[in-house]
Amino acid sequence: MKTPIDSSQFRQIMSCFVTGITVVTSRSGQDIHGLTCNAFCSITVKPCTVMVSVAKDTRSWPLIEKSQIFAVNILSQAQSDISDRFAGRHKDEENNRFEGIPWTTATTGAPILQETQGYLDCQLTQSYDGGTHTLFLGEVVALNLDDTKSPLIFFHSSYLGIDKLK
């Protein structure tokens, strides 16, 4: 018989894994939403495919399901406030997380935040049930990188920056 895993200990261990911070955005008609996400990774380079894990109880989840598009905005070191806002930590801005934040679109129409380190604009190709979350795979149809910016990273439940090594 399996021993139950302590979820608080699991969270503590996972906080030791250094991750980058992204904001995953989607759009369906005029309805837009986004959420902070560090459960993101590349899957393959032919075709260029990425995976994001999105909780089923978020406002972004049905937009991705309906529109079949999403963008991964890779946050720069100066964007911890953006991460907090899209994580729902700014309750006064919860109704419109995009208010006052410049954004545009690339190919799919999913919002692309400005001043990021980079973005990947994706067309949904597959989704997998992950219990409370869905794993969305998307083929990258447009991308951009600003290599003058340093990444925003997360470690032990805190934001960190790194100096670029060149």
Side-chain angles (χ1 to χ4, degrees):
M1 186 162 136
K2 288 185 181 179
T3 304
I5 298 295
D6 178 346
S7 61
S8 63
Q9 186 179 25
F10 176 75
R11 288 179 69 95
Q12 182 181 14
I13 290 170
M14 294 308 297
S15 79
C16 294
F17 184 69
V18 177
T19 63
I21 302 292
T22 71
V23 169
V24 175
T25 58
S26 191
R27 170 188 220 143
S28 180
Q30 295 304 310
D31 196 11
I32 60 172
H33 200 262
L35 61 111
T36 300
C37 177
N38 66 351
F40 155 73
C41 66
S42 62
I43 298 297
T44 183
V45 295
K46 288 190 180 187
C48 295
T49 304
V50 297
M51 183 276 304
V52 295
S53 177
V54 177
K56 293 175 182 175
D57 63 357
T58 64
R59 288 186 287 170
S60 295
W61 188 91
L63 291 181
I64 296 170
E65 280 283 311
K66 184 176 181 180
S67 67
Q68 302 284 293
I69 62 167
F70 63 89
V72 179
N73 296 270
I74 301 168
L75 298 188
S76 68
Q77 186 171 329
Q79 294 182 302
S80 60
D81 193 53
I82 301 287
S83 175
D84 284 343
R85 179 187 282 205
F86 282 88
R89 293 189 184 106
H90 294 189
K91 297 302 179 196
D92 57 324
E93 296 161 334
E94 189 57 24
N95 289 334
N96 185 356
R97 293 180 176 179
F98 290 88
E99 187 172 334
I101 296 177
W103 61 276
T104 187
T105 60
T107 301
T108 68
I112 305 294
L113 305 179
Q114 294 185 6
E115 304 301 319
T116 61
Q117 187 181 29
Y119 71 79
L120 303 162
D121 193 17
C122 302
Q123 183 70 47
L124 185 66
T125 58
Q126 293 184 50
S127 58
Y128 299 94
D129 185 12
T132 60
H133 288 62
T134 297
L135 306 178
F136 291 114
L137 270 59
E139 182 175 347
V140 178
V141 296
L143 53 81
N144 188 59
L145 170 66
D146 182 347
D147 62 5
T148 66
K149 294 187 178 355
S150 294
L152 180 63
I153 59 175
F154 204 60
F155 176 69
H156 274 285
S157 302
S158 298
Y159 297 116
L160 300 171
I162 59 172
D163 293 325
K164 292 186 120 184
L165 304 173
K166 285 199 175 190

